Amino acid sequence: MTKMIATRDAYGEALIEIGKDNENVVVLDADLSKSTKTHGFGQEFPNRFINVGIAEQNLIGTAAGLAAAGKIPFASTFAMFATGRAFEVIRNSVGYPKLNVKICATHSGITVGEDGASHQALEDISCMRTIPNMTVIVPADGVETKAAIHAISKMEGPVYVRLGRLAVPTINDESSYEFKIGEGVTLKEGTDVTIIATGLMVSEAIEAAKELETKGINARVINIHTIKPLDNEIVIKAAKETGAIVTAEEHNIIGGLGSAVAEVISESCPVLLKRVGTKDTFGESGKPADLMKKYGLTKDNIIDAVVDIVKKK
């Protein structure tokens, strides 16, 4: 049986690991530490944990000050509030001076579920990738999350990491997986079409590719864990070799992974493209699985997109 773990849980475990190795690591939270999973770090290292209260602008502003003083701050809250409420502070106090702040936002996407549209961040990738100097990472599982957190703790510069609420399937082998910022991962070779996915949609893409084989379609599957800087080389190679691309993301199709891929191939190797994601709409309250189905974010939606695009080649 596939191990299931939420990326936010893996994040909390990774924080404690890097906190033991580096005394410059400090963690900040906006009174949501049990949900964002930073409370474990707070219990282990109380002198390096700050709860700023329900005040995301202050969360980012304080993190920026700590970074300017040489610390490595990890600032966490829900994705909606991290990128929405604090956007101006991130832009002007973190991105502009290129400070070493790690914004790790949980509860992203529509799978926040019953919390409803006000808490379902479906535009956060778009907001963050437009800020100069910002690296944007969306891990696919717990293994990748841990590896990503370790990696960004060693790099200099601002980073946005998008994490989820739900437990998701583990697709990477913890004993051998190597995370490289900015490098996509080919999970399955294929010649007819390429499925490029990010976050929890990677596991859906893998399942879709398996089913497509029964329909005679050989699909390549690529995991893009770093939306910015995008791995242009792996995208262009896929476009040239398969001639069609389907992107899959738990995000608005405007401004996220699909848009980033479209920008690359339209300039370097134009091919057919279809984007699986929410269609420029807000979500609603409901069970995560029901919302994924209603808003077109399942393996069946990926399969439909692939079948349609292959017919047009």
Side-chain angles (χ1 to χ4, degrees):
M1 182 177 178
T2 303
K3 181 181 178 182
M4 303 285 286
I5 181 172
T7 51
R8 60 175 174 148
D9 286 312
Y11 167 57
E13 293 172 8
L15 282 180
I16 295 173
E17 291 172 0
I18 63 174
K20 291 177 180 175
D21 294 333
N22 192 335
E23 291 186 352
N24 279 326
V25 171
V26 294
V27 174
L28 301 91
D29 202 282
D31 210 26
L32 290 166
S33 63
K34 288 188 177 179
S35 296
T36 62
K37 304 301 180 182
T38 62
H39 66 290
F41 185 95
Q43 292 172 341
E44 191 84 16
F45 310 105
N47 293 332
R48 288 191 275 143
F49 179 78
I50 302 170
N51 180 2
V52 303
I54 306 171
E56 275 73 14
Q57 296 96 328
N58 292 344
L59 174 80
I60 302 301
T62 304
L66 288 165
K71 299 298 183 183
I72 307 172
F74 282 74
S76 295
T77 182
F78 289 2
M80 181 66 252
F81 308 121
T83 61
R85 188 165 293 176
F87 179 83
E88 182 271 329
V89 188
I90 295 173
R91 181 191 183 278
N92 288 335
S93 300
V94 176
Y96 184 42
K98 202 177 181 181
L99 287 175
N100 193 26
V101 175
K102 318 305 181 187
I103 304 163
C104 299
T106 66
H107 295 66
S108 64
I110 206 163
T111 49
V112 175
E114 289 88 344
D115 285 358
S118 64
H119 285 54
Q120 295 164 351
L122 297 172
E123 59 287 287
D124 55 318
I125 296 174
S126 176
C127 292
M128 292 297 101
R129 65 182 285 261
T130 61
I131 297 177
N133 300 321
M134 184 68 71
T135 295
V136 180
I137 294 173
V138 187
D141 67 2
V143 171
E144 195 161 75
T145 299
K146 273 195 173 184
I149 299 304
H150 278 271
I152 66 171
S153 72
K154 298 170 185 172
M155 69 163 278
E156 184 73 23
V159 182
Y160 175 68
V161 181
R162 188 186 209 233
L163 303 167
R165 179 187 195 178
L166 277 186
V168 296
T170 299
I171 61 174
N172 292 297
D173 183 351
E174 189 168 11
S175 63
S176 60
Y177 183 67
E178 186 177 1
F179 181 88
K180 295 181 180 178
I181 297 169
E183 290 191 18
V185 182
T186 301
L187 299 173
K188 177 186 175 300
E189 292 292 351
T191 55
D192 297 327
V193 62
T194 300
I195 305 169
I196 300 179
T198 194
L200 62 77
M201 292 301 287
V202 175
S203 61
E204 297 289 330
I206 293 170
E207 293 304 312
K210 290 177 183 175
E211 196 163 323
L212 285 163
E213 285 185 353
T214 68
K215 300 177 183 294
I217 297 176
N218 185 11
R220 183 177 305 186
V221 178
I222 293 174
N223 168 23
I224 291 291
H225 52 63
T226 306
I227 307 291
K228 183 188 174 187
L230 189 68
D231 186 345
N232 293 359
E233 185 177 332
I234 200 171
V235 172
I236 294 169
K237 184 173 185 287
K240 288 180 178 177
E241 294 179 353
T242 68
I245 292 175
V246 171
T247 60
E249 58 191 314
E250 187 200 7
H251 185 272
N252 195 332
I253 58 170
I254 298 174
L257 171 67
S259 294
V261 169
E263 291 162 9
V264 172
I265 62 174
S266 63
E267 291 183 349
S268 302
C269 182
V271 296
L272 292 168
L273 170 71
K274 287 189 77 71
R275 295 168 294 161
V276 172
T278 58
K279 306 295 189 291
D280 195 24
T281 181
F282 290 106
E284 62 187 291
S285 178
K287 295 185 181 303
D290 292 340
L291 294 175
M292 292 284 281
K293 187 174 182 179
K294 178 171 181 176
Y295 289 92
L297 302 171
T298 69
K299 72 175 175 63
D300 291 335
N301 299 111
I302 297 173
I303 290 169
D304 290 345
V306 167
V307 170
D308 181 58
I309 203 170
V310 168
K311 286 179 181 175
K312 295 175 179 174
K313 283 181 67 178

